[in-house]
Amino acid sequence: EPNNEKAWYNKALVYLMLGRRNEAYKCVLKALSINPNYEHANKLKELIENNALQDMVQLFPLGSQITSKCIPLGKTWDQS
C-alpha cells in the first residue's frame, strides 16, 4: 500500500534488520511524508539520525518476534 505510513515504517524495520540503513531511512521519511505525526516513525528517524540504533529495543519490546509481523512470508513489494 503506497500511501500507508505503517507499511513504510514496517519496510524500514525490515531494512534495518538487513543492515540497510540508508534504505530504512528513506522508508521512514516516506512514512512521515504521509503522516508527519506518526510517533513510531518519528522516533525511528531520530534513532537513525543519531546513530543510536542500539536504543531500538525501546521500540520493540517483543524483540525478534517482529520479523514475522512486518511483512508476511512470501510477500514482497518494492516502492523504490
Side-chain angles (χ1 to χ4, degrees):
E1 297 180 42
N3 293 315
N4 183 324
E5 71 272 14
K6 291 179 182 178
W8 283 102
Y9 172 78
N10 284 339
K11 188 174 180 182
L13 295 178
V14 171
Y15 275 134
L16 281 175
M17 288 179 222
L18 296 172
R20 296 170 63 181
R21 185 177 171 273
N22 290 337
E23 289 93 338
Y25 189 69
K26 290 176 188 176
C27 290
V28 167
L29 293 179
K30 178 65 177 178
L32 291 171
S33 74
I34 296 167
N35 179 0
N37 298 316
Y38 188 32
E39 183 178 348
H40 291 297
N42 275 305
K43 180 64 175 172
L44 186 56
K45 177 180 177 273
E46 177 184 329
L47 292 173
I48 293 170
E49 288 176 345
N50 293 322
N51 208 22
L53 297 178
Q54 67 274 12
D55 296 333
M56 286 178 56
V57 172
Q58 299 168 7
L59 296 174
F60 313 122
L62 300 177
S64 63
Q65 294 178 10
I66 64 165
T67 57
S68 64
K69 297 181 181 184
C70 292
I71 297 175
L73 293 175
K75 302 250 181 177
T76 60
W77 63 277
D78 192 344
Q79 300 294 323
S80 43

